[in-house]
Amino acid sequence: MKIQNIPNVSKEDQLILFDGVCKLCHGWSRFIIRFDKKRVFKLATVQSEPGQVILKHFNMPTNHFDTMLYTEDNQAYEKSTAFLKVTKYLPWPFKVLQVFYLIPRPIRDWFYDRIALNRYRLFGKYD
């Protein structure tokens, strides 16, 4: 997916869109903030105005959120690929997660979807 003319997103931005009411997703964003020592990433919730604009740009649903979206070099990634792209910029030992690229994307995404579909039940959600 190519990014073109999205407000507040430049080619250099590495943006992570996450579900702001999901406790798992919120924990992931806090984890990113803690370990992103070089301040590579920008974060936004999918419920925010910029998040909604980006979702609409990619013709993604704006009323239910079942994936993380990550942008880098005018490309957008979702599901397991978005997760693995982010881990590439984290310090050791988190870079070890790159080994999951050896698993074919449909299989990785199947596991990602199982977690995403059950995240509220397993981890809870904020009001």
Side-chain angles (χ1 to χ4, degrees):
M1 293 185 269
K2 288 282 188 190
I3 299 172
Q4 296 175 345
N5 303 323
I6 297 176
N8 304 317
V9 177
S10 70
K11 182 181 188 282
E12 297 78 30
D13 287 342
Q14 292 176 245
L15 176 69
I16 300 170
L17 284 181
F18 66 97
D19 182 353
V21 299
C22 168
K23 288 187 176 183
L24 173 64
C25 306
H26 189 261
W28 170 243
S29 67
R30 288 192 355 241
F31 177 86
I32 295 298
I33 291 167
R34 179 176 177 197
F35 290 101
D36 182 19
K37 302 296 183 194
K38 295 179 181 177
R39 303 292 178 236
V40 171
F41 302 110
K42 290 184 178 184
L43 298 160
T45 65
V46 291
Q47 292 88 355
S48 68
E49 186 177 331
Q52 290 286 298
V53 168
I54 293 167
L55 289 173
K56 286 177 187 174
H57 178 79
F58 290 114
N59 296 318
M60 296 183 79
T62 57
N63 57 350
H64 90 285
F65 317 104
D66 57 2
T67 184
M68 172 179 69
L69 189 71
Y70 171 66
T71 67
E72 175 184 294
D73 293 329
N74 284 340
Q75 293 286 324
Y77 304 93
E78 60 182 341
K79 299 187 179 194
S80 66
T81 302
F83 174 80
L84 292 173
K85 290 275 186 184
V86 170
T87 62
K88 175 174 78 174
Y89 295 97
L90 297 176
W92 183 261
F94 307 111
K95 288 182 185 292
V96 168
L97 294 170
Q98 295 291 291
V99 72
F100 287 108
Y101 270 121
L102 296 173
I103 298 171
R105 187 176 52 83
I107 295 169
R108 290 191 329 254
D109 284 349
W110 184 87
F111 281 104
Y112 183 97
D113 287 341
R114 300 294 70 76
I115 295 168
L117 294 171
N118 294 294
R119 69 190 184 279
Y120 295 145
R121 187 174 55 79
L122 295 171
F123 301 98
K125 67 190 248 184
Y126 296 107
D127 292 331

